[in-house]
Amino acid sequence: MGIIKKLPVYAEKIPGGGLVTTSLNSAFTLTQAKSLWYFLFGTACCAIELMATGASRYDFDRLGMIFRASPRQSDLLIVAGTITLKMAPVVKRLYEQMAEPRYVLAMGGCAIGGGPFYYDSYAVLKGIDKIIPVDVYVPGCPPRPEALLQGCLEVGKKIRTLKMDDWS
Amino acid sequence: MTKEELTEYIKDNFSGEPEVIENDQPEPYFIVKAEDVVAFSRFIHDDPKLQMTFMMSLSGVDTGERYEIVYNICSYRLKHRVFFKTILNHEKPEVDTVLDIWPAANWYEREVWELFGITIRNHPNLTRFLLPEDWDEGFPMCKGWVGKDVIPFPERK
Ligand code: SF4
């Protein structure tokens, strides 16, 4: 990201450079938002819905979303399922292994706040936002594929509003 | 063998004295003393008329006054099943492993050790695998256990 990040700073100094910067910014955010590769991370029943969304009927691919099996190749972490206390360090580590810019979508009640395991549970993390930053929450138990698709579009919208300087 | 035949056969041929629990299930149900567990398991596993070679499940129970370990065993070849349990006191819950009779008992026994705090004697690898590695809050499956992060279920009005 180094040179791309520096580019607007240099470009803005030359006359008419602002035009270049905004166009570049628009192009970069657009391409990013339209090809969100997501990391398959299903730990419980929500994963079934995630698979259904990825399969042909709802078809994630038409949004340019292709699943990757490695965090190093993905832009979006979809946490689909219950995160137990034992799993929590793993989630954190996988998030840290993702290349920047990276986004997180919390799918389902469990990932948002413990879901059905909120009360009387000794083993479940009460929401992944306790350990990693979350961009979009998709509530439901499990959310319908339409809801998940909308959530991913929201991630895209969020990316479109970013400036290139925001990409750290 | 039918349930009655099985019950009789085991009572007549096992040297210890298993207590029979009357139930209306299709399987006989025994209470075996904690020191007899291995001998009883060995007997039902090796006896040619029983051949209970498959462990379906092993579970711990805490009733509040005592611990129990319930063994569910079946024989694929002869198509019959038997359940038995052993009762342990709260002060010193200890039982011998049945790992060398049914290897499937390995993780079940670790689970019982981890979640109930029942010591399994002679188990080769009694280590944590369900709870986080740095867990230090005791045994969550015991009655009356309260962890520091557990949010109790609110009373229904
Ligand atoms: S939110 Fe509901 S469907 Fe999703 S993982 Fe939790 S329990 Fe399963």
Side-chain angles (χ1 to χ4, degrees):
Chain A
M1 268 299 105
I3 202 140
I4 297 180
K5 215 184 142 196
K6 290 274 160 52
L7 211 58
V9 183
Y10 298 138
E12 226 150 34
K13 288 192 183 135
I14 52 175
L19 197 65
V20 178
T21 326
T22 39
S23 319
L24 259 184
N25 192 49
S26 173
F28 275 119
T29 51
L30 181 68
T31 46
Q32 249 238 302
K34 294 294 174 189
S35 79
L36 269 181
W37 288 6
Y38 64 99
F39 178 40
L40 261 192
F41 192 71
T43 47
C45 14
C46 270
I48 304 292
E49 215 72 358
L50 176 60
M51 290 172 219
T53 321
S56 53
R57 188 177 175 98
Y58 290 97
D59 206 4
F60 253 165
D61 290 7
R62 69 201 153 106
L63 307 182
M65 300 186 60
I66 302 169
F67 75 82
R68 310 305 301 167
S70 155
R72 292 167 208 281
Q73 300 169 353
S74 37
D75 311 303
L76 174 66
L77 174 65
I78 300 184
V79 181
T82 322
I83 300 300
T84 56
L85 292 177
K86 182 146 182 160
M87 198 65 184
V90 181
V91 180
K92 189 157 179 215
R93 184 146 157 215
L94 288 171
Y95 173 75
E96 280 161 2
Q97 284 178 351
M98 286 168 69
E100 285 171 341
R102 56 196 171 190
Y103 307 93
V104 180
L105 187 148
M107 175 182 180
C110 286
I112 294 173
F117 311 105
Y118 183 73
Y119 292 120
D120 280 346
S121 167
Y122 61 88
V124 174
L125 184 73
K126 312 281 186 316
I128 56 160
D129 46 9
K130 289 207 161 66
I131 49 170
I132 53 176
V134 177
D135 293 292
V136 173
Y137 298 84
V138 181
C141 184
R144 296 230 4 126
E146 293 90 332
L148 182 59
L149 284 171
Q150 163 120 38
C152 296
L153 292 176
E154 291 296 327
V155 177
K157 268 191 213 158
K158 178 168 178 178
I159 296 171
R160 292 304 303 275
T161 62
L162 296 181
K163 295 278 168 297
M164 271 158 76
D165 296 0
D166 299 342
W167 298 2
S168 52
Chain B
M1 279 201 264
T2 62
K3 180 185 177 186
E4 287 72 31
E5 286 166 357
L6 260 182
T7 317
E8 283 308 310
Y9 185 82
I10 291 175
K11 265 173 70 179
D12 292 347
N13 290 277
F14 179 58
S15 50
E17 281 168 1
E19 196 182 318
V20 182
I21 305 178
E22 295 301 330
N23 60 3
D24 47 8
Q25 305 297 321
E27 299 88 14
Y29 200 164
F30 298 96
I31 300 182
V32 179
K33 289 197 217 76
E35 57 270 22
D36 282 349
V37 166
V38 173
F40 187 82
S41 309
R42 181 60 72 194
F43 165 69
I44 60 174
H45 180 273
D46 290 351
D47 193 277
K49 283 217 168 124
L50 295 172
Q51 297 191 24
M52 304 277 186
T53 48
F54 181 68
M55 165 171 270
M56 295 189 292
S57 139
L58 180 158
S59 25
V61 181
D62 183 10
T63 64
E65 290 101 49
R66 62 189 197 198
Y67 291 119
E68 295 172 357
I69 298 184
V70 184
Y71 302 78
N72 300 359
I73 315 292
C74 88
S75 164
Y76 266 129
R77 182 161 305 150
L78 302 179
K79 300 191 176 57
H80 53 216
R81 300 194 281 190
V82 64
F83 297 168
F84 66 97
K85 69 179 177 187
T86 180
I87 293 175
L88 309 166
N89 61 11
H90 257 188
E91 284 72 51
K92 198 162 174 265
E94 279 192 2
V95 71
D96 282 315
T97 179
V98 291
L99 179 59
D100 10 314
I101 302 164
W102 298 292
N106 189 344
W107 281 35
Y108 286 129
E109 289 185 335
R110 280 170 72 185
E111 183 186 354
V112 165
W113 169 79
E114 185 173 3
L115 298 181
F116 290 90
I118 298 174
T119 311
I120 311 287
R121 279 188 298 244
N122 304 330
H123 193 290
N125 182 24
L126 224 44
T127 46
R128 257 185 216 306
F129 76 111
L130 287 171
L131 296 170
E133 261 123 54
D134 52 353
W135 182 263
D136 58 352
E137 292 186 43
F139 307 108
M141 281 291 167
C142 290
K143 279 265 187 316
W145 176 85
V146 191
K148 57 179 190 294
D149 292 338
V150 174
I151 301 159
F153 199 82
E155 294 290 322
R156 283 218 177 76
K157 296 281 162 8

